[in-house]
Amino acid sequence: MAAKPGSAGGAAPPPAAPAPPPVLEKKTLAESRFLRFVNVDYARPGDNAKSSWQYVERTTRRGDVDAVNIFAVLKKKDGNHQVLVVKQYRPPMGKHTIELPAGLVDKDESPQTAALRELKEETGYVGTFIGATGQQALSPGLTNENMVT
């Protein structure tokens, strides 16, 4: 029989995450319709030396979630199910990419509603929402954008 955390003989709970370092200054360097380029100065953990970081923020965030990624499975009668992907030209990459259908969460819209809307807009398919992951940071060294799949 496996021991449960916190029970006699069980594993200790994980330590609490450290507090984020103090932000000394945050300055917008440039802003557009969808993005904001930011410089943040903060006290580096350990020695409190002043450090700077530049990153991009979404200007479209209306709640806790920026975007959704849809993992849609096409169920075939013969049992050979397929994952639905889309091919889109992505200017930052300079080429077409193969990716899961995705899109931004609109104002006053839940991630679940956004996922079903984006699925239909990008693929023409109508789906049924089954479940979602927690928030995922896509490139946390570059952007504060997050997504739910």
Side-chain angles (χ1 to χ4, degrees):
M1 180 168 154
K4 296 179 184 174
S7 66
V23 171
L24 306 173
E25 181 182 16
K26 182 177 172 181
K27 182 167 62 172
T28 298
L29 303 175
E31 189 166 337
S32 68
R33 180 176 168 206
F34 294 102
L35 302 172
R36 179 181 306 114
F37 185 44
V38 174
N39 184 81
V40 64
D41 295 330
Y42 63 98
R44 186 172 56 207
D47 63 5
N48 282 330
K50 181 180 175 181
S51 292
S52 294
W53 198 278
Q54 293 81 39
Y55 65 95
V56 179
E57 294 179 337
R58 280 256 177 222
T59 61
T60 54
R61 182 176 289 171
R62 301 291 184 253
D64 293 333
V65 178
D66 292 306
V68 292
N69 209 18
I70 301 102
F71 189 86
V73 177
L74 300 176
K75 292 189 174 187
K76 303 287 187 169
K77 289 180 183 179
D78 64 5
N80 291 319
H81 305 326
Q82 298 175 333
V83 174
L84 184 62
V85 295
V86 294
K87 182 178 181 179
Q88 298 190 75
Y89 178 73
R90 294 297 190 183
M93 302 298 295
K95 61 183 178 181
H96 285 85
T97 62
I98 303 297
E99 55 195 66
L100 296 173
L104 296 176
V105 178
D106 289 341
K107 184 179 178 181
D108 299 324
E109 184 177 49
S110 71
Q112 295 85 353
T113 300
L116 295 173
R117 175 184 51 76
E118 287 289 345
L119 179 66
K120 183 158 187 187
E121 285 177 8
E122 292 196 6
T123 69
Y125 284 94
V126 175
T128 301
F129 181 79
I130 296 174
T133 64
Q135 288 182 355
Q136 305 155 26
L138 303 178
S139 186
L142 174 66
T143 179
N144 71 338
E145 180 180 42
N146 65 61
M147 182 175 273
V148 172
T149 300

